[in-house]
Amino acid sequence: MQLLEERILRDGRALSEDVLLVDSFLNHQVDTELMREVGEEFARLFKDAGVTRVATIEASGIAPAVMTAQALKTPMVILKKSKSSILQDGVIQTEVFSFTKNASYQLTLKSQFVRPGDRVLLIDDFLANGEAAFGGIRLLEQAGATVAGVGAVIAKAFQPGMGKLRAAGYRVEALAAIGSLSCGKIAFAEG
Ligand code: 5GP
Protein backbone atom coordinates (compact mmCIF):
# COMPACT_ATOMS: atom_id res chain seq x y z
CA MET A 1 0.00 0.00 0.00
CA GLN A 2 1.83 3.00 -1.36
CA LEU A 3 0.39 5.61 1.02
CA LEU A 4 1.49 3.52 4.01
CA GLU A 5 4.99 2.89 2.63
CA GLU A 6 5.44 6.62 2.01
CA ARG A 7 4.36 7.35 5.60
CA ILE A 8 6.73 4.72 7.01
CA LEU A 9 9.64 6.25 5.06
CA ARG A 10 8.67 9.77 6.15
CA ASP A 11 7.85 9.23 9.84
CA GLY A 12 9.12 5.76 10.79
CA ARG A 13 12.44 5.22 12.52
CA ALA A 14 14.59 2.10 12.69
CA LEU A 15 15.22 1.86 16.44
CA SER A 16 17.52 -1.12 15.96
CA GLU A 17 18.17 -3.85 13.39
CA ASP A 18 14.77 -5.38 14.19
CA VAL A 19 12.46 -2.74 15.73
CA LEU A 20 10.63 -0.09 13.73
CA LEU A 21 9.15 2.90 15.56
CA VAL A 22 5.91 4.20 14.03
CA ASP A 23 4.41 5.81 17.10
CA SER A 24 3.57 9.09 15.37
CA PHE A 25 0.82 7.49 13.25
CA LEU A 26 0.10 3.93 14.45
CA ASN A 27 1.24 2.99 17.97
CA HIS A 28 0.83 6.11 20.10
CA GLN A 29 -0.63 8.95 18.06
CA VAL A 30 -3.03 7.52 15.46
CA ASP A 31 -3.63 9.00 12.01
CA THR A 32 -7.33 8.15 11.68
CA GLU A 33 -7.49 9.04 7.99
CA LEU A 34 -4.60 6.67 7.24
CA MET A 35 -6.29 4.00 9.42
CA ARG A 36 -9.51 4.42 7.41
CA GLU A 37 -7.53 3.72 4.23
CA VAL A 38 -5.84 0.75 5.92
CA GLY A 39 -9.25 -0.65 6.91
CA GLU A 40 -10.60 -0.21 3.40
CA GLU A 41 -7.57 -1.98 1.94
CA PHE A 42 -7.94 -4.97 4.29
CA ALA A 43 -11.66 -5.07 3.48
CA ARG A 44 -10.84 -5.10 -0.25
CA LEU A 45 -8.26 -7.88 0.15
CA PHE A 46 -10.54 -10.09 2.28
CA LYS A 47 -13.89 -9.22 0.65
CA ASP A 48 -14.41 -12.78 -0.62
CA ALA A 49 -13.23 -14.53 2.56
CA GLY A 50 -16.66 -14.68 4.19
CA VAL A 51 -15.50 -12.74 7.26
CA THR A 52 -18.12 -12.57 10.04
CA ARG A 53 -15.93 -10.93 12.71
CA VAL A 54 -12.67 -8.99 12.92
CA ALA A 55 -10.45 -9.66 15.95
CA THR A 56 -7.34 -7.93 17.18
CA ILE A 57 -4.89 -7.91 20.05
CA GLU A 58 -4.97 -4.86 22.31
CA ALA A 59 -3.80 -2.15 22.14
CA SER A 60 -2.13 -1.15 18.87
CA GLY A 61 -4.23 -3.44 16.68
CA ILE A 62 -7.47 -1.73 17.71
CA ALA A 63 -7.32 1.27 15.37
CA PRO A 64 -6.71 -0.68 12.14
CA ALA A 65 -9.09 -3.46 13.25
CA VAL A 66 -12.01 -1.16 14.00
CA MET A 67 -11.63 0.50 10.59
CA THR A 68 -11.45 -2.91 8.89
CA ALA A 69 -14.55 -4.13 10.73
CA GLN A 70 -16.41 -0.98 9.80
CA ALA A 71 -15.47 -1.40 6.12
CA LEU A 72 -16.50 -5.10 6.20
CA LYS A 73 -19.61 -4.25 8.27
CA THR A 74 -18.83 -6.82 10.96
CA PRO A 75 -18.39 -6.62 14.76
CA MET A 76 -14.85 -6.27 16.13
CA VAL A 77 -13.51 -8.23 19.09
CA ILE A 78 -10.50 -7.28 21.21
CA LEU A 79 -8.33 -10.11 22.51
CA LYS A 80 -7.26 -8.78 25.91
CA LYS A 81 -3.85 -8.96 27.51
CA SER A 82 -5.32 -9.86 30.88
CA LYS A 83 -3.25 -9.48 34.05
CA SER A 84 -5.54 -11.82 36.01
CA SER A 85 -4.69 -15.49 36.19
CA ILE A 86 -8.14 -16.26 37.63
CA LEU A 87 -10.26 -17.88 34.97
CA GLN A 88 -13.90 -16.81 34.90
CA ASP A 89 -16.64 -18.93 33.33
CA GLY A 90 -16.62 -18.77 29.55
CA VAL A 91 -13.18 -17.15 29.43
CA ILE A 92 -10.37 -18.80 27.49
CA GLN A 93 -6.70 -17.88 27.73
CA THR A 94 -3.39 -18.69 26.12
CA GLU A 95 0.14 -17.58 26.96
CA VAL A 96 1.92 -15.37 24.42
CA PHE A 97 5.51 -14.16 24.38
CA SER A 98 5.80 -10.44 23.58
CA PHE A 99 8.51 -9.46 21.13
CA THR A 100 8.74 -5.82 22.19
CA LYS A 101 8.34 -6.34 25.96
CA ASN A 102 10.47 -9.50 26.19
CA ALA A 103 7.90 -11.02 28.57
CA SER A 104 4.87 -13.32 28.42
CA TYR A 105 1.24 -12.35 28.95
CA GLN A 106 -2.12 -14.15 29.00
CA LEU A 107 -4.19 -13.46 25.92
CA THR A 108 -7.85 -13.63 26.93
CA LEU A 109 -11.19 -14.01 25.15
CA LYS A 110 -14.75 -14.30 26.46
CA SER A 111 -15.95 -17.06 24.18
CA GLN A 112 -19.44 -15.53 23.94
CA PHE A 113 -17.98 -12.91 21.56
CA VAL A 114 -16.66 -15.45 19.04
CA ARG A 115 -19.00 -18.31 18.20
CA PRO A 116 -18.53 -21.68 16.49
CA GLY A 117 -19.01 -21.11 12.78
CA ASP A 118 -17.58 -17.57 12.85
CA ARG A 119 -14.98 -16.76 10.19
CA VAL A 120 -12.57 -14.37 11.87
CA LEU A 121 -10.08 -12.00 10.28
CA LEU A 122 -7.23 -11.35 12.75
CA ILE A 123 -5.71 -7.87 12.35
CA ASP A 124 -2.60 -6.59 14.11
CA ASP A 125 -0.28 -3.61 13.79
CA PHE A 126 2.93 -5.65 13.36
CA LEU A 127 3.83 -9.20 12.40
CA ALA A 128 7.32 -10.17 13.56
CA ASN A 129 7.92 -13.67 14.95
CA GLY A 130 4.25 -14.55 14.80
CA GLU A 131 3.82 -15.21 18.55
CA ALA A 132 0.90 -12.80 18.91
CA ALA A 133 -0.81 -14.03 15.73
CA PHE A 134 -0.44 -17.72 16.68
CA GLY A 135 -1.74 -16.91 20.18
CA GLY A 136 -4.77 -15.17 18.68
CA ILE A 137 -5.35 -18.09 16.31
CA ARG A 138 -5.19 -20.60 19.21
CA LEU A 139 -7.89 -18.68 21.09
CA LEU A 140 -10.15 -18.16 18.08
CA GLU A 141 -9.94 -21.82 17.08
CA GLN A 142 -10.52 -22.89 20.68
CA ALA A 143 -13.71 -20.82 20.56
CA GLY A 144 -14.77 -22.89 17.53
CA ALA A 145 -14.13 -20.21 14.90
CA THR A 146 -12.27 -20.53 11.60
CA VAL A 147 -9.47 -18.06 10.96
CA ALA A 148 -10.30 -16.53 7.57
CA GLY A 149 -6.96 -14.76 7.42
CA VAL A 150 -4.36 -12.66 9.18
CA GLY A 151 -3.81 -9.02 8.23
CA ALA A 152 -0.72 -7.13 9.41
CA VAL A 153 -0.44 -3.41 8.82
CA ILE A 154 3.35 -3.89 8.80
CA ALA A 155 5.15 -7.23 8.50
CA LYS A 156 8.87 -7.55 9.02
CA ALA A 157 9.64 -10.02 6.25
CA PHE A 158 13.10 -10.74 7.66
CA GLN A 159 11.52 -12.26 10.78
CA PRO A 160 9.84 -15.68 10.66
CA GLY A 161 6.18 -14.93 11.53
CA MET A 162 4.79 -14.49 8.03
CA GLY A 163 6.51 -17.63 6.70
CA LYS A 164 5.41 -19.72 9.70
CA LEU A 165 1.77 -18.64 9.39
CA ARG A 166 1.71 -19.37 5.66
CA ALA A 167 3.42 -22.73 6.22
CA ALA A 168 0.68 -23.55 8.73
CA GLY A 169 -1.91 -22.87 5.99
CA TYR A 170 -3.14 -19.40 6.99
CA ARG A 171 -3.71 -16.63 4.48
CA VAL A 172 -1.56 -13.62 5.45
CA GLU A 173 -1.75 -10.16 3.92
CA ALA A 174 0.66 -7.36 4.90
CA LEU A 175 0.07 -3.80 3.72
CA ALA A 176 3.79 -3.01 4.02
CA ALA A 177 6.58 -5.57 4.21
CA ILE A 178 9.89 -4.45 5.66
CA GLY A 179 12.93 -6.21 4.15
CA SER A 180 15.59 -4.73 6.39
CA LEU A 181 16.24 -2.15 9.11
CA SER A 182 20.03 -2.37 8.86
CA CYS A 183 22.18 0.68 9.64
CA GLY A 184 19.12 2.76 10.55
CA LYS A 185 17.78 2.51 6.99
CA ILE A 186 14.22 1.29 6.29
CA ALA A 187 14.07 -0.94 3.20
CA PHE A 188 10.94 -2.66 1.88
CA ALA A 189 10.93 -6.33 0.90
CA GLU A 190 11.06 -7.15 -2.82
CA GLY A 191 7.73 -8.25 -4.27
P1 5GP B 1 5.25 -11.08 17.11
O1 5GP B 1 4.36 -11.70 18.13
O2 5GP B 1 4.82 -11.34 15.68
O3 5GP B 1 6.70 -11.42 17.33
O4 5GP B 1 5.18 -9.52 17.36
C1 5GP B 1 3.98 -8.84 17.11
C2 5GP B 1 3.69 -7.84 18.19
O5 5GP B 1 4.86 -7.22 18.70
C3 5GP B 1 2.85 -6.75 17.60
O6 5GP B 1 1.55 -6.86 18.14
C4 5GP B 1 3.51 -5.46 18.00
O7 5GP B 1 2.79 -4.86 19.06
C5 5GP B 1 4.86 -5.83 18.50
N1 5GP B 1 5.96 -5.53 17.55
C6 5GP B 1 6.73 -6.44 16.91
N2 5GP B 1 7.68 -5.85 16.17
C7 5GP B 1 7.50 -4.53 16.33
C8 5GP B 1 8.20 -3.38 15.80
O8 5GP B 1 9.18 -3.44 15.04
N3 5GP B 1 7.72 -2.16 16.19
C9 5GP B 1 6.64 -2.03 17.02
N4 5GP B 1 6.23 -0.79 17.30
N5 5GP B 1 5.97 -3.09 17.54
C10 5GP B 1 6.40 -4.33 17.19
Side-chain angles (χ1 to χ4, degrees):
M1 186 180 166
Q2 198 183 339
L3 191 67
L4 178 64
E5 290 190 353
E6 286 168 6
R7 191 61 180 273
I8 291 169
L9 288 179
R10 197 184 86 191
D11 293 336
R13 198 153 58 83
L15 267 194
S16 66
E17 297 277 301
D18 56 8
V19 177
L20 176 64
L21 188 73
V22 285
D23 61 357
S24 65
F25 61 93
L26 180 57
N27 293 130
H28 200 151
Q29 175 171 257
V30 176
D31 181 333
T32 57
E33 186 54 32
L34 179 65
M35 287 309 113
R36 192 181 58 74
E37 303 240 11
V38 160
E40 282 174 4
E41 182 62 5
F42 278 133
R44 190 185 65 77
L45 290 167
F46 287 99
K47 69 175 185 310
D48 297 324
V51 175
T52 60
R53 268 181 167 65
V54 173
T56 191
I57 297 160
E58 66 176 352
S60 295
I62 293 175
V66 80
M67 295 302 191
T68 305
Q70 189 178 52
L72 285 169
K73 301 189 179 3
T74 69
M76 193 274 272
V77 177
I78 302 166
L79 305 178
K80 313 276 261 183
K81 291 175 180 167
S82 171
K83 288 197 182 73
S84 168
S85 58
I86 302 162
L87 273 179
Q88 297 165 267
D89 274 356
V91 170
I92 50 179
Q93 288 193 309
T94 190
E95 188 171 287
V96 172
F97 181 76
S98 164
F99 174 84
T100 43
K101 299 197 170 61
N102 197 26
S104 292
Y105 59 89
Q106 292 291 328
L107 197 62
T108 302
L109 168 68
K110 265 192 189 174
S111 50
Q112 75 191 80
F113 298 127
V114 174
R115 306 305 303 168
D118 265 328
R119 290 183 56 81
V120 183
L121 172 59
L122 182 61
I123 297 288
D124 205 2
D125 59 338
F126 272 90
L127 175 58
N129 295 315
E131 298 284 338
F134 274 111
I137 288 170
R138 280 197 298 279
L139 277 190
L140 295 167
E141 291 183 345
Q142 217 180 310
T146 298
V147 174
V150 177
V153 180
I154 302 171
K156 289 179 289 178
F158 57 90
Q159 290 176 316
M162 187 148 60
K164 280 188 185 168
L165 286 166
R166 286 185 174 154
Y170 296 101
R171 177 175 170 198
V172 184
E173 300 284 355
L175 302 190
I178 307 293
S180 156
L181 296 171
S182 290
C183 307
K185 194 173 170 305
I186 300 168
F188 293 104
E190 296 291 320

